[in-house]
Structures are given as structure tokens and as C-alpha cells.
Amino acid sequence: MPKNRIASTSLLILLFFSGFAALVYQVLWVRELGLLFGSTAQAAALTIAIFFTGLASGGWFWGRRAPHTSSLRWFGWVEIGVALTALGHFALVDVYHALYPIFYATVGHSPILDTLVKAIIAATLLLPASFLMGGTLPLMVQHLVRHPNQLATVGTQLYAVNTAGSASGALATGFVLPLLLGFRNTYLLAVSLDFTVGLLAVLLASTKTEKSSISSDLQQKFNSDTKIPNRSPHLSLPNPLVWATAFSSGFATLGIEVIWTRLFSQVLQNSVYTYALVLSTFLLALSLGAAIANALSRLHRPAPPLILCGLLLLASSATAVSPWLFYEVTDGFTYLGRDLNWESYLSAIASVAGLVMLLPGMILGAVLPYLMRILETDPRQPSEQVGRLIAADTTGAILGSLSAGFLLLPLLGAWRSLLLLASIYLVIVAAIALLRTTIIRLVVAGVLVTAAVLLTGMNLQALQTVPIGTRANDRIVEIQEGSHATVAVVDTSRGGRAIRVNTYYTLGSSRNLHFEQNQTVVPMMTHPKPDSVFYLGMGTGITAGAALAFPVKLVVCELLPEVVSLSKAHFTPWTRGLFEDERVTVHAEDGRNCLSRSRDRYNLIISDLFTPWERGTGNLYTLENYQIAKERLEPDGIFVQWIPLYQVSQQEFGIIARTMAEVFPQVVMWRGDLAPSRSIVALIGQKQAQPLDPQVIARHGRYLMNQLEAIATPTSDEALTALLLRLYVGNITASKLFDNYPINTDDYPLIEYLAPRTHRQVQTGTARFLVGSEREHLYHQIRSAVNPEADPYLVNLTSAQYGYVNAGHNYSRYAQLSAQGSKQQARPYLEKFQVLSPSDELQDLSPASVLLRR
């Protein structure tokens, strides 16, 4: 291989890993600032906007100032600079975690000032490194372009390689690196890569005197203010139109990417893996688009403006067709790969993502790099041309992503937003056509503008009800396509009104009224004075509303503002005045962030049911989250983590239990119901280990019973105590069953990365969630490890009250066996339950259904 070819290949490898590291940074920065500011759409958008601002300003700055004879050396020093400034993350992020609550206490009352503080913090973390990143491509272009007519062929090749590196970085960060290295070491790996790339570039530049990027006679032409001869209007476009095209392309491309990602969230597991697969597919499409631009740049005919118009028309068509294409390949928004194993599931997603995104994305991705071909006759040096393109495109990308997420989706919905973005490409073609003065070209421009208007106004009624994936006989009450998610209120065919997020995730239902109320009643009945409660998550509002039966003040934080508004509009009959009661404060915010920045203290913090495998929810099961919660508790406070046993295996349950036990001196477990199979449980962590007081249960029960308008039959304190004690499972801390499980942390988010795999294994029958016999086996393990009589949490119980605990175990076993059809085996457990229950036993086994009956 010739030396020049070896050198060029070496530089392409360096640029590939530069792109790889950049995406690793981006993914980790979005995650870290999400932990600091909250995992909201606004916080993520702010992070991306500032990151892109750094890229845009860096591209413009370094493009104008790239040296003529030492650009490779400067590339190396810039890469080393990226590594050094990225290391500042470790010095600043801990400081900001300590300072942000103070800042919020000062300016949090003003959304504008709060956003400004967030922007300043994010800028100090992201701008230095991203500003330097923006200069890497222009500097490498400056080094490798030896002649003006090489700008397109060399520039598009470099753009393709750099973007392919970015796609690989997104894939590696989503699938491999965090579990292998942890997020901290993954970040350090990116720093090491950048430092190595920079050092190698400097060494390559020093092996011999670097030649001028452009021969001396042609360099004069690049530096001259005089246009290169033969710059025909048929071969080029005015620079303002080129920059406008780059801007519009960035706006449309990133807007389309945001909407495609939302569409995929309707049919996928929505784990960290599926998100990474969709993102990397899109980046790969952009890389392949640059390769297409490279091939087109080598054509002498047709004229470059005509080829550009062809790309723009194809981009418009591909975008306009994508709603119908998405509908067809997902079989009408059907959940993808429901019964597939892990590998087959990922393969199915990759196939669908490829069909929906790859070909259209390649066309979208070819527009920007092909503009280098249009600029070949520009007298400026190559780095300046590429830097200006990057600046224009990235500025458009910032506005496009923000507009799609916060303006287009809420106002127009996904389908119309895609058609509107498709029309942008037509408007650009019309603008190019208007440069010609003939009547025919004016007519073409008019036709294209008309087509853009028609696209935006097309009748999409056939697709309007697709994005919620309703079951047969369900009735959609209201849908909101908001900045965070697509949320719907549905009257279900099985009875009850439910909230669904992104088609398939049910947040709660009035059909399960008393089960949802139990999530409040069970823990509040155990606390001596539950007068201040924080809810991490709200859903329908039924759970939080149950607390209003007590003399209490509530703070409720729900991540999705669309859920808050829909719950307020459609669930007031079941929320006990949650949205009208002056004792309640509801925030449409990330719950973990609400806690971390708060200076208030609570008697109870209740963490709602969360889907463990969904991207972002793993942060709510980490050591750091539990430490934040412990700091916000009163001395006698308790933290309640509700867990859906029908969504976790023994592995995930053990990790969560072990992580809580690392923070709280005593963790105990309560049932949320005595249902036959699909149950929820609460792990309750105490800030100070204290035994349960059965008199507290009776006092609270009597208070709630007195709130009823009429009591059908007299009820003793013992019956009220039994009603709750039957739900007690055992002492997690004393059992020591989970001491050898790993701890889930922000650095090693095991739940977020393991739960999606378990989910797929359960779908194919190779693993089991904790339902049916698996649930009963877990209960038996905990009960066997620490008998109720030896449980330090139950030391104040009488012998009869120990019997109530055992009665609950027997009834749970009876219900499970009965549901399986084993009536004969089940009967002895029912008889034991009846013997151990008080004489005036309440017929209803749910505390909420007895105590909150209207």
C-alpha cells in the first residue's frame, strides 16, 4: 500500500474514533445532566442545544482560523484539548450537585431564571469540550484537501467516517460499555480515546514537515477576494442560499429524527437498548448518506444544483411517505416482537428501523455533505467552508429538535409534523428555482410551494387513532401528543378508565381503585404521625388522593405534564379532590430531582410503581436515589418503594432489596394485595430502625372508619389491626437473603440494563417474573429466614397478632392454588386463615376498600 494511502487511512481511523468519543460524551452528558436537572424533555433538550451550540460555534471559529500548513498538528492539539476539558466534568459535576438545590431555592420560583441557571451550569460543563469538537472536521478537511475540486470528495468521505464513528459510539454506549466498565470508566475511556487520537495526530504531523494543504498557486486563489473564473450560475448557488439550505436541512433532519424516535416509542420496549438501536440506525443512515454524496460529487453531469434539487425532492418524498411506511411495517402500530427472544427481538427492531429510517435517512443525510460540491468554486479555504456548513446545519438542528419536541408534536401531532417538515425541502427547491427568471421556472416554484401547502394540509384521518394501539372495544377519551410522550385516557373494554403512555404502558386504572389506594393506606397505617407525604410519581392520582383521608400535606411530583393534565381532567371522581385540595402541591417535574433540590422533610416518601426495563426508570432504583430520599425524611420517616412483582424476576428484586438495605437500617416488606397472582409489594425502609406499633394501626383504622357516613357493622380494633397485618410479608434486612446481590448505582445501573433482557426471556418462557408459584416461593423464603415471632420489627405484637400475619400467608397461598385450579390443595390454607383471623373478621381483605369506602 502506498505511503500516502497508509497515511490517509490512519487519519480516517483517527477521525472515526474522534466521532466515537463524541457520541459517548453526548450520551453520558445527557444522562448526567438529567440526574442533576431531572429527566425531563426540557432538561434533555437544553443539554442537546448547548452541546450543538458548542459544535456550531466551534465549527465556525476553527474553520476560519485553521492554519494553512499545520492543520493536522492543530487537529491533534484540539483533540487533546477535548480530552482535558472533558475531564473538567469530574471537577464540576459534584460541585453542581451540591450547588443546584441552593440555586433552585433562590430562583426556582421563576421558570425563566431557573432555566437560565441550568443553561449556565450546562454551558460550563459542555461548551468548552463541544466547542473544540466542532473544530475537528474542518481542521482535518484543511489538512487533506490538496486542491479546490477535492473539497466534495474528501470532505464527504471525512464526514461519512466521522458520523460512522458516532453511530458506533452510540451503539457501544447503549449495549456494552456501561455494564462492562460503568458510566464513569466509560467516560474516562472516551477521554483516553480523544487524548490518544490527539497525541497520534501530533506525532504524525511531527514525523516530517507538514505539507501545505493546498499548492501555493491555488492557495492564492483561496485567499483571494476574486472569484474563481468560470463560476457559472448553472454550476453553483449563491452562498446565502447554500447556508440557508444547510440550516433548513439541519432543522428538518433533526426534527424528523425526534418524531421518528417518538413513533418508535409507541411500539418498542423503550429500554436503553432499543433507544440506542434507533439512534445508531439514524446516525448510520447519515453516514451512508454522506457516502452517497461522495459518489454524487464525482459526477460531472447533471449540474450540481440539479443533483441537489433531486436530493431535496427525494428527501421530501421519503419524509412524506414515512407515516404510511411506519404504519405498514409495524402492522398498524402493533407492539414489535412480543414473543421473540432477546437476540431475535433486537434483530426485528433493527429490521424495522432499517426499513423506516435507513433509506430515508440516507437521503436526508446526503443533502448537507453534497453542499460541499456546490462550494467547490468558493474562494475561501476548505476549513472555512466546512466550518460554515457545520455552523449553519447545527444551528438548524438545534431549532429543529426543539421545535419538533415542544411545538410541532403538541400542536400538530406526529403525522402532520412529518408532512410539514417534508414541505421544507420543497420550499428550498422552490427557492433554487426562483433564481431562474423564466416563466417555466417560476411555475415550477409555484407548484412546489403549492405541494408544500397541500402536504401540510393532507387528510390523515385514517391514521389518527393509530398511535394509541387500543384493544377491541376500548374507547379513547382523549389523546395528548406532548413534548414528553403520547398519553391517552381510555375507557377499557374490561371496565374502568385508564391512562396509557406511548400506546402500551398503563399507569393505572379506576378498575383497580382499591389496589391503587392501598399503595398509600398500607404504609400510612404503619407510621405514628403521617402528616407530610411526598409522592415520587402520580399516574392517575388515585394513590396520592387516598392520603387526603388523613390530616396531611402532600407534595406530588409526576414526570409527564401530559399525565398531570389528563388525570386532572378525567380522574377527579376517584382522586378525592387531589387537584382542588389546598393541602396538595402537584409538580410536573422529575420526582428524584424534586427531592434532591428540596429543603423540606417528610414523614413518608412513596415511590410509585415503575416499569423497571423502561429507559430512565432505573435511576429510581439506585443507591443514590435512596440516599437522597433518606436525607429528606424526618427522623422517624419511612421510604416506600412499590415493586410490581409481575415485572421483575428474582434477580431484579434481589438487587433492589440489597440496594435499599445498603441505605436504610431496616427494610421490611408488605403486600399491596392478596390477589391470586399479579401482585405488588412495598419495600419500606426506615430512617431509624423501629418496631411496628399495632396500636398505631388500630388508631388510624378507627380514625378512617369514623370518616365514613355509615358503618354497617361494629368493628373491633383487632379486626382493623388484622386487616393490615395480613399483608405483612417479612423483614428483608434481618433475613440476610439478599446480602450477596450486587448494588444498583448511578454508575453501574444494573436494573436499567438487566431488566430489559429479563423481560424478553419471560416473553419466551426461559425466565419467570415473580407471579404465581414464584411469588409464593419468594414469600416462603423470607418467612422461613425470619419467623414472625423472631422478627425485630414485630416485637410488639401479641400472639393473636402474630396469627394475623400467618393468616395472610395462608390466604395468599390459598388464592394462588385456587387460581391454578388446585382446589383440594388450597382448602387447608383457607381453613388455617379462618382459624387465625379475628372473630369479627372484615369480609373485604383490602384495607383501602374497607377504610376509604364512601
Side-chain angles (χ1 to χ4, degrees):
M1 182 181 292
K3 290 183 178 180
N4 288 343
R5 190 68 173 273
I6 294 174
S8 297
T9 302
S10 300
L11 295 180
L12 290 177
I13 292 173
L14 295 183
L15 198 61
F16 175 90
F17 281 106
S18 174
F20 182 99
L23 246 291
V24 173
Y25 289 135
Q26 180 185 330
V27 171
L28 299 186
W29 282 336
V30 169
R31 185 178 187 275
E32 186 62 52
L33 288 177
L35 294 176
L36 178 59
F37 300 145
S39 298
T40 63
Q42 288 88 348
L46 181 65
T47 302
I48 294 296
I50 290 176
F51 177 71
F52 279 10
T53 298
L55 294 180
S57 58
W60 179 84
F61 177 88
W62 292 104
R64 287 177 60 87
R65 288 162 178 78
H68 302 313
T69 60
S70 56
S71 53
L72 179 59
R73 183 177 289 106
W74 274 99
F75 169 87
W77 286 118
V78 165
E79 282 287 332
I80 292 172
V82 171
L84 294 176
T85 52
L87 280 174
H89 165 92
F90 293 107
L92 292 175
V93 73
D94 290 338
V95 174
Y96 285 141
H97 273 285
L99 290 179
Y100 180 63
I102 300 173
F103 292 148
Y104 183 82
T106 306
V107 303
H109 62 281
S110 170
I112 295 176
L113 291 177
D114 182 43
T115 301
L116 179 61
V117 168
K118 290 178 180 178
I120 292 172
I121 291 174
T124 57
L125 283 171
L126 308 186
L127 269 184
S130 59
F131 175 79
L132 293 171
M133 285 180 199
T136 55
L137 184 60
L139 286 167
M140 188 63 80
V141 167
Q142 180 73 5
H143 171 68
L144 287 176
V145 173
R146 305 293 179 179
H147 191 277
N149 62 14
Q150 290 181 329
L151 175 62
T153 54
V154 173
T156 52
Q157 182 185 41
L158 296 177
Y159 185 90
V161 169
N162 191 244
T163 309
S166 297
S168 301
L171 205 60
T173 308
F175 278 83
V176 179
L177 297 178
L179 269 187
L180 184 65
L181 303 175
F183 277 113
R184 180 184 179 87
N185 288 334
T186 298
Y187 192 89
L188 289 174
L189 173 64
V191 170
S192 301
L193 282 175
D194 266 330
F195 188 83
T196 302
V197 166
L199 184 61
L200 289 175
V202 171
L203 291 175
L204 285 172
S206 301
T207 54
K208 58 182 179 178
T209 303
E210 187 182 353
K211 293 183 180 180
S212 173
S213 299
I214 307 166
S215 59
S216 58
D217 58 330
L218 290 172
Q219 182 65 62
Q220 294 177 1
K221 292 181 179 180
F222 271 107
N223 294 331
S224 171
D225 291 332
T226 305
K227 295 182 180 180
I228 293 178
N230 299 323
R231 182 176 171 130
S232 168
H234 298 288
L235 299 177
S236 187
L237 296 173
N239 282 347
L241 184 55
V242 175
W243 312 136
T245 302
F247 174 90
S248 301
S249 174
F251 184 100
T253 301
L254 259 291
I256 292 165
E257 192 266 343
V258 167
I259 296 170
W260 279 348
T261 301
R262 170 64 62 82
L263 291 177
F264 272 105
S265 71
Q266 311 301 309
V267 296
L268 296 183
Q269 183 188 64
N270 287 331
S271 67
V272 64
Y273 298 105
T274 58
Y275 175 80
L277 198 54
V278 170
L279 175 60
S280 57
T281 300
F282 184 76
L283 291 172
L284 177 61
L286 297 185
S287 176
L288 293 175
I292 292 173
N294 181 276
L296 294 174
S297 297
R298 300 175 187 275
L299 299 177
H300 298 291
R301 285 186 175 80
L306 292 179
I307 293 177
L308 177 63
C309 287
L311 287 173
L312 293 168
L313 290 172
L314 286 173
S316 178
S317 301
T319 304
V321 168
S322 64
W324 286 270
L325 178 62
F326 195 93
Y327 177 74
E328 289 299 325
V329 299
T330 60
D331 193 21
F333 269 78
T334 301
Y335 187 87
L336 292 179
R338 190 180 296 276
D339 299 321
L340 297 178
N341 62 28
W342 179 243
E343 292 77 13
S344 299
Y345 180 64
L346 293 179
S347 178
I349 295 172
S351 299
V352 172
L355 287 171
V356 173
M357 299 173 67
L358 199 59
L359 181 58
M362 287 164 59
I363 299 169
L364 301 179
V367 173
L368 174 70
Y370 188 75
L371 290 175
M372 297 182 195
R373 175 71 174 92
I374 306 292
L375 291 173
E376 280 188 340
T377 54
D378 191 285
R380 297 178 181 86
Q381 64 181 14
S383 61
E384 184 172 358
Q385 297 174 53
V386 172
R388 285 172 177 263
L389 275 182
I390 290 173
D393 178 77
T394 309
T395 303
I398 295 170
L399 296 178
S401 59
L402 294 176
S403 297
F406 298 102
L407 184 63
L408 299 183
L409 276 170
L411 292 180
L412 302 177
W415 303 136
R416 292 195 185 281
S417 296
L418 284 173
L419 296 184
L420 176 62
L421 292 170
S423 70
I424 290 176
Y425 292 103
L426 297 182
V427 172
I428 301 172
V429 175
I432 294 173
L434 283 171
L435 291 177
R436 278 67 177 169
T437 58
T438 65
I439 296 298
I440 294 177
R441 290 188 175 99
L442 288 174
V443 170
V444 169
V447 169
L448 290 171
V449 171
T450 302
V453 173
L454 290 176
L455 272 178
T456 307
M458 285 182 66
N459 183 2
L460 299 171
Q461 189 61 39
L463 299 179
Q464 288 305 305
T465 58
V466 171
I468 199 57
T470 53
R471 301 181 180 94
N473 300 320
D474 285 357
R475 184 180 70 87
I476 297 174
V477 178
E478 184 179 352
I479 294 178
Q480 287 187 13
E481 288 194 77
S483 58
H484 292 67
T486 298
V487 183
V489 175
V490 179
D491 284 338
T492 68
S493 57
R494 293 180 292 181
R497 177 165 289 181
I499 289 184
R500 291 193 189 142
V501 175
N502 290 339
T503 303
Y504 293 99
Y505 296 90
T506 300
L507 293 191
S509 170
S510 61
R511 182 171 179 263
N512 300 318
L513 175 68
H514 297 308
F515 289 149
E516 293 193 28
Q517 290 175 330
N518 276 347
Q519 291 175 237
T520 286
V521 171
V522 171
M524 289 189 74
M525 290 278 286
T526 69
H527 194 281
K529 192 179 180 183
D531 56 5
S532 59
V533 186
F534 179 95
Y535 284 90
L536 204 162
M538 186 191 75
T540 60
I542 292 173
T543 296
L548 295 174
F550 293 83
V552 66
K553 288 188 176 181
L554 305 183
V555 175
V556 183
C557 278
E558 166 59 50
L559 176 64
L560 304 178
E562 300 85 4
V563 168
V564 175
S565 64
L566 289 176
S567 175
K568 183 177 182 179
H570 300 288
F571 284 84
T572 51
W574 304 284
T575 56
R576 305 181 68 90
L578 181 69
F579 299 102
E580 295 82 30
D581 199 307
E582 62 182 12
R583 296 175 292 166
V584 182
T585 302
V586 179
H587 298 288
E589 292 276 358
D590 177 86
R592 171 171 167 167
N593 183 250
C594 280
L595 271 180
S596 66
R597 74 191 185 198
S598 173
R599 293 183 175 181
D600 295 330
R601 296 292 183 270
Y602 304 94
N603 297 119
L604 288 89
I605 297 174
I606 299 178
S607 185
D608 205 352
L609 296 167
F610 299 107
T611 306
W613 60 80
E614 194 168 5
R615 178 173 169 259
T617 57
N619 298 334
L620 301 175
Y621 296 109
T622 63
L623 181 79
E624 291 80 0
N625 184 51
Y626 296 145
Q627 289 171 335
I628 291 169
K630 184 179 179 182
E631 291 173 0
R632 298 295 177 265
L633 288 172
E634 297 284 5
D636 63 348
I638 60 175
F639 174 82
V640 184
Q641 177 67 72
W642 284 101
I643 300 174
L645 292 183
Y646 50 87
Q647 291 180 344
V648 297
S649 68
Q650 178 92 8
Q651 178 188 41
E652 288 84 50
F653 181 86
I655 292 171
I656 296 170
R658 169 73 175 93
T659 303
M660 279 193 66
E662 186 71 13
V663 175
F664 297 99
Q666 182 165 252
V667 178
V668 296
M669 180 174 168
W670 291 80
R671 299 179 186 87
D673 56 71
L674 287 168
S677 179
R678 289 168 57 90
S679 294
I680 62 173
V681 296
L683 296 184
I684 299 182
Q686 296 178 312
K687 190 170 185 177
Q688 295 179 359
Q690 298 177 5
L692 176 68
D693 186 348
Q695 294 182 3
V696 167
I697 299 174
R699 184 171 71 246
H700 288 328
R702 180 61 54 197
Y703 172 84
L704 293 177
M705 291 290 285
N706 289 338
Q707 305 305 305
L708 301 179
E709 294 180 0
I711 300 175
T713 57
T715 303
S716 69
D717 286 355
E718 279 300 292
L720 292 172
T721 305
L723 185 67
L724 195 74
L725 286 178
R726 286 188 293 218
L727 296 179
Y728 182 74
V729 177
N731 195 313
I732 297 295
T733 310
S735 75
K736 300 186 182 300
L737 285 172
F738 308 102
D739 288 1
N740 293 326
Y741 279 79
I743 297 174
N744 189 48
T745 66
D746 287 343
D747 190 23
Y748 281 89
L750 300 174
I751 294 297
E752 190 167 13
Y753 279 80
L754 295 177
R757 293 174 177 267
T758 299
H759 176 240
R760 301 316 309 170
Q761 291 168 352
V762 170
Q763 296 298 310
T764 54
T766 58
R768 289 274 293 174
F769 287 143
L770 293 171
V771 297
S773 58
E774 283 76 15
R775 180 197 69 181
E776 290 304 309
H777 177 67
L778 174 67
Y779 291 165
H780 178 73
Q781 280 183 304
I782 297 172
R783 184 173 68 252
S784 299
V786 183
N787 288 325
E789 293 80 359
D791 189 339
Y793 180 64
L794 302 181
V795 67
N796 291 329
L797 268 59
T798 65
S799 58
Q801 289 166 347
Y802 283 125
Y804 305 154
V805 174
N806 288 320
H809 289 303
N810 280 281
Y811 189 89
S812 179
R813 183 66 169 149
Y814 157 75
Q816 179 255 322
L817 289 171
S818 295
Q820 291 181 347
S822 303
K823 301 293 185 181
Q824 290 297 112
Q825 288 179 275
R827 185 170 181 78
Y829 292 101
L830 178 61
E831 293 171 351
K832 290 179 183 178
F833 165 78
Q834 293 169 336
V835 168
L836 293 171
S837 295
S839 57
D840 59 342
E841 160 197 0
L842 295 166
Q843 295 302 308
D844 200 317
L845 300 179
S846 167
S849 63
V850 172
L851 301 175
L852 299 184
R853 185 187 307 138
R854 289 185 179 272

